[in-house]
Amino acid sequence: QLGGTCTAQLAPARAIPALYRLTGRPLPTAASLFMPEVTRPLRDLLHHQAGERLGEAARREWAAEVGGVVCRHFLQLATSMLDGVRKDEEARRRYARKADAASSTTDADKVCVQLFLDVEALGAQLREVGVDAPRLADYCALRDAVRPDLTLMESIGGAA
C-alpha cells in the first residue's frame, strides 16, 4: 500500500515527453519538480509515524522494499515513454525532407536526460531514508534504462 502511494506520485512523469516534443527546449539541467513528492509518504511514515516503533534495520528493510516497488514502476513508465518518443522521432525522421537533424540533440535525448536526472534525484531521496540505491537491483535497472549516451552525460555534467 505504501509503495502504491509512492508510485502514484510519479503520475506527472507521463507529461515529460510533451515538455520536449517539438518545443525546441534546451536539455534539462535539474530533476522534475514532482520528484521530491515521490518518497514523501515513505519519509513521513519512517520519520514521524513508525520511526519510534521500528528498529533501524527494519526501517532500512522497509525503505528498500518500497524503493524497489517505486523503481520497478518508474522503469515501466520510463521505458514506455522512451519507446514512444523514439518511435515518434523515427517516424518524423522518415518523413522529413532534410537529414540535418542527426547532429542535433533530439527530443528523445532530452526526455532521456530528464528521466536520468529524475532517477538520480530518486536515488538521493532513497539515501535519505537509509537505502543504498546503487545496491538495489531495481534502481540499477532503472538507471541503466534511462542513462543518456556519453556525450549527453558530459553535457549535463553527470557521472556514468
Side-chain angles (χ1 to χ4, degrees), residues 44-56 59:
D44 289 348
L45 181 76
L46 293 178
H47 294 303
H48 302 294
Q49 298 169 5
E52 297 173 4
R53 289 179 273 174
L54 290 175
E56 189 63 32
R59 286 171 44 139

Side-chain angles (χ1 to χ4, degrees), residues 56-81:
E56 189 63 32
R59 286 171 44 139
R60 277 196 302 267
E61 186 177 327
W62 222 12
E65 181 62 34
V66 171
V69 169
V70 171
C71 288
R72 286 189 296 275
H73 180 78
F74 202 177
L75 176 61
Q76 290 174 340
L77 186 63
T79 54
S80 174
M81 281 190 291

